[in-house]
Amino acid sequence: MTSPVNYTLIDNIGVITIDSPPVNALSQAVRQGIMEALDVADSDASEAVVIICDGRTFIAGADISEFGKPLKDPWLPEVVNRIEATDKPVIAAIHGTALGGGFEVALSAHYRCAVAGAKVGLPEVKLGLLPGAGGTQRTPRLAGIEAALQLMTSGVPIAAARAMEVGLIDRIVAGDLREGAMAWAKELVADGVKPRRTSDQDIPAYDAAIFDGYRATLAKRARGQIAPQYIVDCVEGAATLSFAAGLALERSKFAELMEGEQSAALRHFFFAERQAAKVDGLSKDTPTRAVESVGVIGGGTMGGGIAMSFANAGIPVTLIEISDDALARGLSIIERNYAGSVKRGKLSEAKAAACRALISGATDYAALAEVDMVIEAVFEDPQLKQEIFAKLDGVCKQGAVLATNTSYQDVDAIAAATRRPEDVIGMHFFSPAHIMKLLEVVRGENTADDVLATCMQLAKRIRKVPVVSRVCYGFIGNRMLQPYGQQSQLLLLEGATPEQVDGAMESWGMAMGPLRVFDLAGLDIGYKARAALSDEQKGDPATYRVPDRLVEAGRLGQKSGSGFYTYDENRKPTPDPIVHEIIENAAADLGIERRKISDEEIVERLISALVDEGRKIVDEGIAQRSSDIDVVYVYGYGFPAHRGGPMFYADSV
Ligand code: 3HC
Ligand code: NAI
């Protein structure tokens, strides 16, 4: 078998080239290849060594698919120590993304250069791990404690320019990276420059209070997660221990995390997310349709955010509203959102202006004649949606993709309103649509393969995580929410309080408990929907008696200042004795005897409700695979990623 690592001596420079598609991950073959190349470089006529990668990126990290299996020699820490110990100057030349173990390879080189578009980072925390090949010890020596903690506890990569600012790389190469790195290597040799080992460097001055500060912040921001806390321990170790002792601390903490449940869950989730983008039975080379312009119908809560998602990816949007007033309102909300992003430092003024300029408005559907795709986001009214699709059939050019953002309605019935059901699909965004990453792509009975492939590809372009769902009431996510919500109501009647139910779920890791979610969405929505149903369709009154009573008492949720809780002007919820009374009375009416309910019971019953429905969804073929459900729940419903998603969690317990 040929090695993915190639070594050549060019003039007086030894060049180690890694070529292991797709992302040059540090598989055993790559690790061994680097060691063998260093053996040659040690004894040949080279005077300096360049480490560079072919393909789309520098090394993107350890090979995650090898995790959880017995590790084969040579281990990565051994490889990076060997690189650093080399007697000739070693230069890492970075393009694409140098991540995790890949960046640790670069940190163990003596000098680092990168192209301007490169990014570097230590994203191990997102896998429930910490940098395990010296990253926790070398990063603070180069960048200082604060920048190191920031990089490792957030896991967010930084651009080359920023990396240079904090001392993590030494130069930015304009033009061809290989040529630039070779020229620099020759320059270093000509100047008689010696290896500069990161492990020999002192930690820049720091404030010792920073560690406890980070611990406290992370206890809130990354509630329940172990890895971020261990990163702080290791960085503190870098500051207070010898390099060797710091490495030993890192090694033991890394091993403990690797064995633990949180990392297993997050590793599952890493692959689940990538798997979700694949459609069974749809060949990789299914053609796609060009989407260079879109129309969005309805500029309300969802339409505005959807328009922003496309504009942010550089795709021009025509927003259609029912009247000039409604259009002006919709556009002004978009304006406000962009201004907010600028204020929070998320977007530069220039970028925000450029995105905003891509969104134009109209009240006449004729403006949609030439767009490549339309996304409908009007009121959740099946009749109205069908009328709109019939209209689109009349105005849109042939081949345009016609999508609906409906939360619950039958995509096939909507498609049937057109003479081109093959062009119709569901694209179900989550609120706020310009922020939430999940996109349920709802494949109708007649949706053409190229339309589906187009939407999956487009999702990535607008930085969403797509999951395919077949048609059913509520698709994957909202369908599962129903039994979950009903179970939360039963728990209230049987003896729990809203604050106990939400508290138990939030302590367990959910971003928000179910009753706070109901208050946020508005209790009137369900109330109105139920009003249209017969008693039989509504099912067990115990599952909706309390929210009905709340709505009848004028408590519609956050929007009216009270629901399951009472809210202050900052939308902070406070438990309310009136709600307790409403619950107790409803229980008495329904003949339900109240008892003490434990937090464990709350979690078990609510998660079981999700999982039972999830199983049905997989069995019925609505979801392609159970890991897709995990992706939906983590990205769309605030399920804790470190528990892997409801289906993974159920399997693991
Ligand atoms: N190991 C194994 N496979 C990997 C991988 C890795 N580190 N990184 C990416 N892949 C695989 C993906 O699973 C995917 O495979 P598929 O095509 O079969 O689904 C393929 O490479 C392409 O990945 P993406 O679809 O994610 O491609 P993008 O171009 O969107 O993104 C990327 C590229 C930014 C490199 C992204 O893949 C990424 O963030 N990868 C993970 C990086 C990471 O977490 N590194 C740290 C690993 S832990 C570590 O290094 C421990 C060390 O400290 C000891
Ligand atoms: P909304 O009420 O905030 O906005 C709907 C907008 O559509 C209004 O501004 C209205 O003027 C406009 N409109 C109505 N009829 C129109 C027509 N014929 N032509 C052009 N515009 C028209 O509603 P929201 O919340 O944005 O929901 C829209 C759709 O998105 C619904 O189908 C809903 O189920 C779905 N959805 C909603 C989510 C949410 O959290 N609000 C989440 C995901 C999907």
Side-chain angles (χ1 to χ4, degrees):
M1 213 172 75
T2 55
S3 170
V5 182
N6 168 276
Y7 178 82
T8 39
L9 180 64
I10 303 173
D11 302 330
N12 58 338
I13 309 297
V15 181
I16 298 176
T17 305
I18 298 156
D19 182 14
S20 184
V23 296
N24 291 314
L26 289 155
S27 62
Q28 190 278 337
V30 170
R31 299 193 303 272
Q32 187 180 327
I34 295 174
M35 292 298 252
E36 286 167 3
L38 290 170
D39 283 345
V40 183
D42 272 350
S43 55
D44 70 5
S46 60
E47 293 178 89
V49 177
V50 168
I51 301 177
I52 192 163
C53 292
D54 274 345
R56 66 203 233 208
T57 179
F58 192 78
I59 305 165
D63 187 334
I64 303 167
S65 64
E66 288 182 357
F67 289 178
K69 301 174 188 156
L71 253 189
K72 293 195 199 126
D73 286 336
W75 289 20
L76 188 58
E78 203 185 313
V79 177
V80 297
N81 288 342
R82 172 77 192 281
I83 293 171
E84 192 177 64
T86 301
D87 280 332
K88 304 170 182 180
V90 181
I91 296 118
I94 300 168
H95 75 292
T97 41
L99 299 178
F103 189 46
E104 290 173 299
V105 164
L107 292 173
S108 69
H110 308 132
Y111 301 93
R112 286 158 290 280
C113 62
V115 294
K119 285 187 172 179
V120 304
L122 293 164
E124 285 86 345
V125 71
K126 295 185 179 169
L127 297 168
L129 296 171
L130 50 81
T136 64
Q137 306 302 300
R138 289 192 176 91
T139 312
R141 284 177 159 77
L142 292 172
I145 299 290
E146 166 107 67
L149 283 171
Q150 171 61 25
L151 192 69
M152 287 185 262
T153 58
S154 74
V156 177
I158 54 175
R162 171 73 186 148
M164 193 155 131
E165 226 171 78
V166 297
L168 289 170
I169 61 170
D170 305 295
R171 71 161 64 181
I172 292 185
V173 173
D176 184 74
L177 178 64
R178 187 176 287 264
E179 274 172 26
M182 291 288 287
W184 189 31
K186 286 181 181 175
E187 218 179 279
L188 293 172
V189 172
D191 293 347
V193 171
K194 299 281 169 233
R196 180 194 57 181
R197 299 191 174 89
T198 308
S199 60
D200 289 341
Q201 302 195 29
D202 292 329
I203 302 260
Y206 63 93
D207 173 0
I210 191 168
F211 300 110
D212 282 341
Y214 258 82
R215 286 186 179 103
T217 307
L218 290 165
K220 286 193 207 132
R221 200 179 76 204
R223 192 163 20 103
Q225 293 178 49
I226 307 168
Q229 298 289 343
Y230 277 19
I231 288 172
V232 180
D233 296 345
C234 289
V235 174
E236 189 172 39
T240 54
L241 304 170
S242 68
F243 184 75
L247 276 189
L249 176 69
E250 177 191 271
R251 184 98 300 258
S252 75
K253 297 262 179 198
F254 180 84
E256 188 188 328
L257 291 173
M258 183 66 95
E259 295 287 308
E261 286 170 5
Q262 294 194 355
S263 179
L266 285 160
R267 276 157 20 218
H268 155 78
F269 193 70
F270 176 85
F271 288 113
E273 178 182 341
R274 280 149 185 89
Q275 183 73 11
K278 299 182 175 89
V279 186
D280 290 343
L282 198 69
S283 137
K284 251 188 152 172
D285 33 57
T286 305
T288 54
R289 302 185 188 180
V291 178
E292 297 308 332
S293 60
V294 305
V296 173
I297 309 182
T301 308
M302 294 306 291
I306 295 170
M308 288 175 73
S309 300
F310 283 95
N312 294 350
I315 302 171
V317 182
T318 306
L319 188 66
I320 301 283
E321 257 294 351
I322 205 158
S323 65
D324 289 338
D325 280 354
L327 182 59
R329 199 170 47 239
L331 291 172
S332 74
I333 295 172
I334 292 175
E335 204 97 52
R336 247 200 341 262
N337 282 340
Y338 276 126
S341 299
V342 171
K343 207 166 150 198
R344 288 194 307 277
K346 298 261 177 224
L347 218 56
S348 72
E349 197 129 354
K351 169 85 176 144
C355 293
R356 172 62 192 86
L358 286 172
I359 304 174
S360 58
T363 50
D364 185 349
Y365 280 57
L368 301 178
E370 290 306 319
V371 297
D372 297 322
M373 170 183 264
V374 176
I375 297 162
E376 165 278 311
V378 304
F379 307 131
E380 185 72 350
D381 170 350
Q383 192 65 39
L384 175 63
K385 287 184 192 284
Q386 290 183 30
E387 280 165 25
I388 287 177
F389 273 73
K391 217 155 144 183
L392 290 176
D393 194 16
V395 295
C396 291
K397 69 180 180 188
Q398 284 306 309
V401 175
L402 306 181
T404 171
N405 180 49
T406 181
S407 306
Y408 290 96
Q409 303 307 321
D410 182 346
V411 173
D412 293 326
I414 294 171
T418 72
R419 288 159 299 173
R420 37 174 136 169
E422 66 282 3
D423 293 343
V424 177
I425 193 163
M427 279 178 84
H428 182 216
F429 291 78
F430 288 71
S431 179
H434 59 299
I435 291 173
M436 295 290 284
K437 291 194 71 165
L438 180 64
L439 179 65
E440 279 185 333
V441 176
V442 186
R443 182 181 192 176
E445 198 56 54
N446 297 305
T447 304
D449 283 357
D450 66 337
V451 168
L452 180 59
T454 300
C455 292
M456 298 304 280
Q457 197 185 60
L458 188 63
K460 214 167 174 184
R461 214 169 132 204
I462 60 171
R463 315 190 83 156
K464 301 292 177 199
V465 176
V467 177
V468 179
S469 174
R470 284 288 191 179
V471 176
C472 67
Y473 189 73
F475 316 121
I476 297 173
N478 283 343
R479 173 168 157 182
M480 285 167 67
L481 206 53
Q482 288 206 319
Y484 176 78
Q486 288 173 351
Q487 200 56 241
S488 70
Q489 296 308 317
L490 298 180
L491 284 161
L492 292 181
L493 293 170
E494 289 172 37
T497 59
E499 50 279 19
Q500 192 198 353
V501 171
D502 288 342
M505 295 313 288
E506 287 165 17
S507 301
W508 186 79
M510 293 298 287
M512 213 188 241
L515 304 161
R516 288 216 291 138
V517 171
F518 284 134
D519 271 358
L520 183 67
L523 302 181
D524 53 325
I525 296 178
Y527 186 83
K528 279 187 207 141
R530 280 191 293 278
L533 301 178
S534 66
D535 280 350
E536 199 189 336
Q537 285 168 321
K538 283 197 254 184
D540 180 359
T543 59
Y544 57 83
R545 179 62 56 86
V546 173
D548 273 7
R549 292 275 156 88
L550 291 172
V551 171
E552 283 152 14
R555 306 180 70 108
L556 312 185
Q558 277 197 20
K559 63 172 105 169
S560 70
S562 66
F564 284 101
Y565 300 89
T566 297
Y567 293 86
D568 68 11
E569 60 285 1
N570 298 316
R571 303 194 161 197
K572 191 174 167 289
T574 319
D576 190 333
I578 296 173
V579 175
H580 297 169
E581 208 181 298
I582 289 176
I583 294 169
E584 282 156 23
N585 290 340
D589 279 359
L590 293 161
I592 297 171
E593 200 170 322
R594 287 170 60 79
R595 61 186 168 86
K596 191 169 161 34
I597 293 186
S598 70
D599 287 2
E600 292 72 32
E601 180 180 344
I602 291 171
V603 172
E604 195 192 314
R605 282 174 58 181
L606 285 175
I607 300 298
S608 300
L610 281 183
V611 172
D612 289 346
E613 198 63 30
R615 289 221 173 89
K616 286 183 207 151
I617 284 173
V618 176
D619 288 347
E620 291 168 24
I622 300 294
Q624 299 191 87
R625 43 187 96 87
S626 76
S627 61
D628 282 8
I629 292 178
D630 292 336
V631 176
V632 167
Y633 260 74
V634 170
Y635 277 129
Y637 296 85
F639 195 97
H642 65 272
R643 295 196 188 266
M647 307 311 279
F648 178 86
Y649 176 74
D651 283 345
S652 65
V653 296

